[in-house]
Amino acid sequence: MRSSRLLPLLFIVACNRVPGPGDSCKPTEIRCVDPKTELACDKGTFIAAPCKGPLGCREEGDKHLVCDFAGNAEGDPCSSDEEGAARCVGEKARITCRGGKYTIDQCRGDDGCKGGGSVRCDQSKGETGDPCRGATNACTTDGKNVLTCVEGKLQISASCPGEGGCSVIEHKIDCDLGKKDDPKKKSAVP
């Protein structure tokens, strides 16, 4: 007799079960676990992902859930279904979901990081060791060197000892080599 009373209770608990990491989900489905964590759908399975920004995980408007990931750290998990989702972190950095992890890019150029419909990050200036992707060139923030992306990090590839140093002209990196007798005093970097 005791077990017959327990069955309806187990059925009610099973029907009202809150999903968790590893449970199946529909694409774009998210749930707030707590004010700083979301369950995000990643290829049909829920994963726990942090929402460390000041607005955390919250409901907006008509049951629309939002995760503020602007405060997340490099390497924090994100749904690969949200590949490319980006936000500015202050005026000089951008956080982006790439391959299931958040990456942080420095936006040291004069235009910094600008948000809105699409996030733009000016990486025309950088520092040795800044993370980078692809065939990227930049000037050092002091304007004395050209940086090139090598194995995912910016490294000095040329010195610009001339008066003009390293500068960005019409979206191209120029390096003043400072040779007065050379008619091509300025050298454009591809």
Side-chain angles (χ1 to χ4, degrees), residues 135-149:
T136 304
N137 287 315
C139 292
T140 53
T141 54
D142 65 6
K144 294 181 179 181
N145 300 292
V146 175
L147 299 166
T148 301
C149 189

Side-chain angles (χ1 to χ4, degrees), residues 139 146 158-160 165-167 169 172-179 182-190:
C139 292
V146 175
S159 179
C160 309
C166 183
S167 58
I169 300 172
K172 292 183 182 176
I173 305 296
D174 279 5
C175 181
D176 185 346
L177 300 174
K179 296 178 183 175
D182 185 353
K184 293 184 179 179
K185 185 175 156 188
K186 290 219 177 216
S187 169
V189 177

Side-chain angles (χ1 to χ4, degrees), residues 18-22 29-33 37-41 46-49 57:
V18 176
E29 185 178 3
I30 69 168
R31 296 173 185 262
C32 292
V33 174
T37 310
E38 75 169 336
L39 283 179
C41 194
F46 275 124
I47 63 164
C57 190

Side-chain angles (χ1 to χ4, degrees), residues 7 23 53 88 104:
L7 281 175
D23 288 343
C88 291
I104 297 178

Side-chain angles (χ1 to χ4, degrees), residues 119-131:
V119 176
R120 292 182 322 273
C121 178
D122 183 355
Q123 294 181 304
S124 61
K125 293 181 182 177
E127 292 293 330
T128 303
D130 280 354

Side-chain angles (χ1 to χ4, degrees), residues 28 30 32 58-67:
T28 71
I30 69 168
C32 292
R58 69 196 186 290
E59 188 176 315
E60 270 187 1
D62 200 20
K63 292 192 176 190
H64 177 72
L65 294 175
V66 176
C67 173

